[in-house]
Amino acid sequence: MKKLLTSALLAVATMAQAQQRIDLWPQGAPHPSSNPQDTAFVTVFLPEAAKATGRAVVICPGGGYTHLAMNHEGLEWGPVFNNMGIAVIVLKYRMPRGVKEVPFEDAEEAIRLVRRHAAEWNIDPRQVGIMGSSAGGHLAATTATHATGNAKPDFQILFYPVITMDRSFTHKGSHDFLLGADASAELEQQYSNEKQVNGQTPRALIVVSGDDHVVPPLNSISYYLTLQANHVPAALHVWPTGDHGWGLRPSFAYHAEMLMELKTWLRSF
């Protein structure tokens, strides 16, 4: 018990020392939110300089484009990646609420922000990735497939992601809150990321549970197959159980194995 308490206190101390909050749009965003109180910011966790590998990950928590699971799909990942020498930038993005552009411009600006601070934060601007879970996975994959120039990530990590807006296997809540229940076929295709992959799409790790009843695993499988077809390096890991939304929770039956899989993939390039 004493050891567990000590470990917990060290984790809290590490988080307190490493994090800083930065408002994303101090001069105002290109597309104002329909809710002026809903602002975008990032929380930055930097590893010790001696440990820094030069890599950084922008993390997009999930929440169906209605709210954000900021802890187990966001902030709690800071010390985990920092222990691997990787900087973490957790994005609190704005909800669409009728303005579909806002989460995507927040994610792109977060990537640009990291590259602007690359020298200060001991980051290689060519090693800036994006990670997302559930609807945050859709945001991450959309950024990976749509962004250009300094906003394009170098790799993507997706946990049980929403990938498609195809009504036959999308997550209906994410579809409706992002695009609207009556979205056109053209708009659905634009935000169906399995249809937007090309040879320039960054490499990907996709992790999902086969018994996910919230976001059909076909989202992950279809994206993986399209990445493969376009010769984009990709890994897909399907855990037999776990359902949806486990993030960094130790209650996930394959928690330790998942972390090892993540570390192994990150060492592969």
Side-chain angles (χ1 to χ4, degrees), residues 30-215:
H31 287 85
S33 171
S34 59
N35 176 9
Q37 305 304 313
D38 185 15
T39 59
F41 59 86
V42 296
T43 303
V44 181
F45 297 83
L46 299 178
E48 297 174 11
K51 280 188 176 181
T53 62
R55 277 192 174 155
V57 179
V58 172
I59 298 181
C60 308
Y65 286 122
T66 65
H67 65 282
L68 294 178
M70 286 296 293
N71 290 324
H72 71 288
E73 292 180 353
L75 299 172
E76 292 174 9
W77 281 97
V80 174
F81 278 106
N82 282 180
N83 285 337
M84 291 187 270
I86 299 171
V88 168
I89 299 84
V90 180
L91 173 63
K92 187 278 172 187
Y93 55 93
R94 295 170 294 157
M95 298 298 99
R97 294 189 180 91
V99 188
K100 64 182 182 301
E101 293 84 2
V102 297
F104 305 109
E105 66 186 24
D106 290 351
E108 291 188 5
E109 180 61 13
I111 297 283
R112 287 190 289 261
L113 175 76
V114 174
R115 291 192 168 118
R116 289 198 298 270
H117 287 271
E120 175 189 351
W121 293 348
N122 294 316
I123 291 169
D124 181 344
R126 299 163 299 179
Q127 287 289 321
V128 180
I130 194 163
M131 169 175 147
S133 302
S134 196
H138 181 264
L139 176 55
T142 303
T143 305
T145 54
H146 290 65
T148 59
N150 215 27
K152 191 177 186 68
D154 297 298
F155 57 91
Q156 52 184 316
I157 302 169
L158 309 176
F159 287 92
Y160 40 87
V162 178
I163 290 294
T164 192
M165 290 290 113
D166 183 324
R167 294 171 193 254
S168 66
F169 65 110
T170 189
H171 174 245
K172 186 177 185 302
S174 296
H175 172 285
D176 292 357
F177 283 106
L178 177 64
L179 303 181
D182 58 350
S184 67
E186 291 77 14
L187 200 57
E188 289 174 342
Q189 176 157 335
Q190 181 183 353
Y191 289 97
S192 290
N193 294 308
E194 79 281 9
K195 298 178 181 178
Q196 303 300 327
V197 173
N198 59 40
Q200 303 307 308
T201 301
R203 67 179 64 232
L205 170 66
I206 311 163
V207 187
V208 64
S209 294
D211 64 348
D212 191 334
H213 77 285
V214 177
V215 177

Side-chain angles (χ1 to χ4, degrees), residues 72 76-81 83-84 86 131 157 159 205 207 237 239 246-267:
H72 71 288
E76 292 174 9
W77 281 97
V80 174
F81 278 106
N83 285 337
M84 291 187 270
I86 299 171
M131 169 175 147
I157 302 169
F159 287 92
L205 170 66
V207 187
H237 201 109
W239 298 107
W246 29 266
L248 198 55
R249 288 173 174 155
S251 57
F252 175 49
Y254 302 97
H255 174 77
E257 292 87 347
M258 175 272 293
L259 289 176
M260 185 59 67
E261 176 76 15
L262 174 62
K263 291 176 183 177
T264 299
W265 182 77
L266 286 166
R267 288 198 300 265

